[in-house]
Every structure is written in C-alpha cells, then in structure tokens.
C-alpha cells in the first residue's frame, strides 16, 4: 500500500500532454508544439566548455552540500549587481534546480495546520509542493482585467491566523505578468503586519520585454527583505534546464534548515553543473539579450495572431516566454459531434484534429485560458497560430 502522500499526488499535468503529443509524432504526424517549458536555444559554448574543463580538472567529487564557495560568491555578486541586495555565504544555498530549492524551502517552512497563499494563474508545482509539506494551499484569483495585479486588499481577505506565507512569481509562468512596485509594497506591508514569509520566485527575472526593469520585493524595504526568501536559477536565463542548478537566498536559519534537508536527500547539486553555472553567472551575458530579442519578436507575432481571433483576448506578457490567451467566449461551441465545454476539451480538439499542442488553463488554476509557450521556432509558431485560427473558425 502506497503512502497517503504518494496516493494523493498527481503527476505534473504538462507531462501527460507531452506524452500524447509524442505518441502522435511517433505516428508521423507534424505537431505544432506550444508546450515547451524551456528555452529552445542551446546552452552557450563557454558554459559547456566550463563543464568540460571541470571534468578534466577532476571536479567530479562531492562538494559542500549547499554548493561550492566560488559559485555562492558569484550568486552574491549577482544579487548585489542586479538587485542591490547583499548576502553572506550562509544566506545562500545552491540546489538541483529552482524546483528543488523551492521544494526544500517549503519543507523547511511549512507543516500541518499552516496555510500558504498562492495566486492564480500559478506555476503548477506550488500547490502540490505546499501539500507535500502537509500545509494547505489557499488559492487567490487574479484577473486578466486587472493585468493580473494583486493588491493588499485582494489578499487581506484570505489571511487567517494560520497563514504562514505567500508565494509570488514575477515575471510569472504561465502568464508573463509582473507586479507594480506599488503593489509589491502593499504585499510587503501585509506580510509584515501578519508575520508572513514571502517566497519570491524570480526565475524569469532576466527574460523581460519592452525595457521592463525587474524589482525584487526584497530590495524595496529592509523589513520586506527580512521575511523574503528569493528563488532563482540558471535554467531559464542561460538555457540550462538540464543542468539542474537553482539557488535560494534568505535568512541564514532558513538556509541552514534547507541545507539539512538537502544533506539527507540529494546532497550537493552536481559538481560539474556548479562549475558551468559559475561560468554562466560570471562570463559574458550577451546570450541573454540575443535570446530575449528573439522571444520578443515571437511574442509580438503570437499575441497579434491570437488577438485577431474574434472573441479571444490576451494579456501581453512583460516577461517569461508564455502567452495565456482567454478562450472563454468560445467555450460551449461545437465541433461536429463534440461540445467544446472546457479548455481541456479544446486542448484535445487542437491536438487530435488540428495537430497543435497547448496546455489548458485549468492546470494553472484558471479555466477558460490556454498556455502557449513561444520557446519554439517562428515556423512552428506561424503554423500553429494558423491552425488555431482554423480550429476556431470551424466551431459552430
Ligand atoms: C522553470 C521554473 C522553475 C524551476 O526551474 P528549474 O528547472 O527547476 O531550475 C521555477 N519556477 C518557475 C515559475 C518556473 O517556470
């Protein structure tokens, strides 16, 4: 008999769609895939070379659990330069990806009886991670009409004596939304007043458009900084998803607890990847602007094509590499014998009849929407957008 914990856990929903997509591809079908959760660029050459050098120099053994000192120092430099924040080595931990850092953090902070506020549309892993720690996710809806902003008033209603933390993600996956500094101030004040931890997932900090400048909530006020734990990593900014390096900064007691958890599970993140991440953070940064420039062209095209469909609206993402168009106006229509009454049904129709793979919004706590990643070639984006337009035109 499996543990209750394991029985209650669903696999990552995006993986199920990927499996079906793979099956259709294996049958020789040409699928336009918008499911990718990672940049489609190769990891830059100098980063790969740093990994090869690490192997040749024999850096192939255990490292300190929380990461090698040069990498911690590079992370400290990053926060100083990008965010105006200073951290000591004992306030930094390197983990096996941003996801692993967040998992360990939730294990370190939350337990039975705790409530954790999560905003829709959310990254799929936050609610299960909160539940795996024994705590209860409290879902707060944010709206397209409000540019997905959160105000103090919106969140205040959901705070109880059990609320222990709030999870922020900006620029966000799946919508690419960011919070105004005024609203971050409101959230920070609320956290101070109610003694909440702020978990700030800033994984897409460097993937931003139209000259937008990222502001970490921790950098706004020292009282916010004290209760904020920042999660970031090299996966998205340097196209290093497979290397599995993420990092977390915050109060040293929390970092020490995360390190204990890590020491009893994975131990250190891969030594070779740590040297590659060191090269990523300290080497030339021009790769990022090249990638972001390409993403911006694709975003502009895809948003234009989607919003040209009658009834479809779409937030113009300020960051990350996803669009989250609103298909609510089309739900309830029919395609032959099928009623398209949910975005899950729409997703199925798009995949089976129009060979286009997207992710239904319900997976992110927001029914009526679809998530499309533009971390794929312009050719695929053009083909896919045309197919979606054709699919919608064929609904009655
Ligand atoms: C991709 C992603 C992460 C974690 O990425 P890793 O591959 O584990 O480093 C964390 N948060 C968000 C919102 C993401 O999209």
């Amino acid at each position: 008999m499996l543990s209750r914990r394991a029985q209650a856990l669903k696999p990552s929903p995006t993986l199920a769609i990927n499996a079906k997509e793979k099956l259709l591809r294996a049958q020789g079908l040409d699928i336009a895939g918008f499911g990718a959760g990672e940049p489609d660029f190769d990891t830059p050459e100098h980063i790969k070379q740093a990994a090869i050098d690490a192997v040749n120099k024999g850096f192939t053994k255990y490292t300190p659990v929380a990461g090698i000192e040069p990498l911690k120092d590079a992370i400290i430099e990053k926060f100083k330069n990008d965010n105006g924040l200073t951290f000591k080595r004992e306030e930094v931990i390197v983990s096996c990806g941003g996801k692993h850092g967040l998992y360990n953090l939730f294990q370190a902070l939350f337990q039975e009886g705790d409530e954790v506020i999560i905003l829709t549309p959310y990254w799929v892993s936050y609610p299960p991670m909160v539940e795996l720690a024994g705590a209860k996710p409290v879902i707060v809806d944010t709206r397209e009409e409000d540019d997905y902003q959160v105000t103090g008033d919106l969140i205040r209603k959901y705070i109880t004596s059990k609320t222990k933390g709030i999870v922020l993600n900006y620029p966000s996956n799946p919508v690419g939304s960011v919070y105004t500094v005024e609203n971050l101030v409101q959230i920070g004040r609320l956290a101070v007043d109610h003694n909440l931890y702020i978990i700030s997932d800033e994984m897409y900090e460097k993937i931003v458009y139209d000259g937008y400048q990222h502001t970490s909530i921790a950098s706004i006020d020292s009282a916010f900084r004290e209760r904020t734990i920042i999660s970031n990593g090299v996966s998205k900014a340097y196209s290093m998803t497979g290397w599995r390096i993420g990092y977390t900064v915050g109060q040293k007691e929390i970092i020490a607890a995360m390190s204990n958890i890590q020491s009893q599970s994975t131990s250190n993140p891969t030594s070779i990847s740590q040297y590659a991440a060191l090269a990523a953070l300290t080497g030339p940064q021009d790769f990022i602007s090249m990638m972001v420039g390409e993403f911006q062209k694709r975003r502009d095209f895809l948003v234009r094509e989607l919003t040209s469909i009658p009834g479809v609206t779409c937030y113009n993402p300020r960051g990350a590499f996803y669009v989250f168009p609103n298909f609510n106006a089309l739900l309830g229509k029919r395609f032959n014998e099928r009623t398209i009454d949910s975005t899950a049904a729409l997703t199925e129709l798009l995949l089976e009849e129009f060979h286009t793979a997207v992710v239904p919004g319900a997976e992110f706590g927001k029914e009526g929407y679809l998530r499309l990643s533009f971390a794929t070639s312009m050719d695929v984006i053009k083909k896919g957008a045309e197919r979606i337009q054709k699919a919608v035109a064929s609904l009655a």
Side-chain angles (χ1 to χ4, degrees), residues 37 96-100 102 123 126 169 173 201 203-204 235-236 241 244-246 322:
C96 311
K99 190 182 262 186
H100 182 225
L102 287 165
W123 184 47
Y126 300 139
N169 172 219
N173 174 3
D201 182 348
M203 186 53 88
Y204 295 96
S235 296
K236 309 291 161 63
T241 45
R244 309 311 303 134
I245 296 290
Y322 314 95

Side-chain angles (χ1 to χ4, degrees), residues 10 13 20 44 79 107 153 194 228 238-239 243 259 315-316 341:
K10 286 187 307 183
K20 200 163 183 186
F79 279 103
Q107 290 291 321
D153 285 342
H194 295 273
T228 301
Y238 302 95
S239 202
W243 299 76
S259 183
Y315 173 86
N316 191 26
D341 53 1

